[in-house]
Amino acid sequence: MKAIQATWLLAATALATTLAASPAMAQDDDSCQLTIEGNDQMQFNQDAMSVPAGCDEVTVTLEHTGQMQASVMGHNWVLSETSDVQDVAQAGMSTSLESDYLPADDDRVLAATDVIGGGESTSVTFSTEGLAGRDLTFFCSFPGHSSIMKGTFTVEG
Ligand SMILES: [Cu+2]
């Protein structure tokens, strides 16, 4: 009797392990992890980014591949409704590097990383809830950068 119970327990443990290893309902694979680069030429290396609607959360990693300091050629990655970008960038310009050139507690900022300098990287993780189908733009809020450093961001759905 004892031997039978032990066998059953072993089988149950194996089953539980298999279930834990199987993919969850939500999409949590590499397609929910995006990387973008900024450089000393005031450029992002992408002008369009997208994630599948199945991503509950997205992580965007920004890598500054240049060498210039954050105070001179700093970059961040900010997400806003396209129609808000200009106003948010304008408001950010009158703040400081310490504030990551963004207005504090501003609902128009949907996601944002820190401002970084050459050789650094940073990331932000945010929920995609309510973002599918919206006209979104990512940009750098360092003063003067958003006119060039921007692109579309799409949550497919
Ligand atoms: Cu920048």
Side-chain angles (χ1 to χ4, degrees), residues 20 32 35 38 43 47 50 65 73 82-83 91 99 105-106 119 133 136 139 142 151:
C32 305
T35 299
Q43 296 164 328
D47 59 10
S50 68
T65 58
M73 184 53 71
T82 299
S83 58
S99 305
D105 301 322
D106 193 312
L136 305 174
F139 64 102
F142 191 97

Side-chain angles (χ1 to χ4, degrees), residues 89-112:
Q90 190 74 34
M93 222 179 275
S94 59
T95 69
S96 62
L97 177 58
E98 288 69 35
S99 305
D100 295 304
Y101 294 113
L102 283 173
D105 301 322
D106 193 312
D107 289 344
R108 296 172 300 178
V109 177
L110 303 173

Side-chain angles (χ1 to χ4, degrees), residues 27-34 51-52 55 59:
Q27 198 150 359
D28 59 356
D29 56 32
D30 290 349
S31 59
C32 305
Q33 318 265 330
L34 305 177
V51 290
C55 297
T59 298

Side-chain angles (χ1 to χ4, degrees), residues 10 13 20 24 34 38 41 43 54 67 76-77 84 86 88 97 99 102 104 106 109 112 118 126 148:
L10 202 65
T13 306
L34 305 177
Q41 283 72 49
Q43 296 164 328
Q67 294 175 350
N76 60 357
W77 188 94
D84 288 334
Q86 210 165 353
V88 172
L97 177 58
S99 305
L102 283 173
D106 193 312
V109 177
F126 55 97
I148 294 170

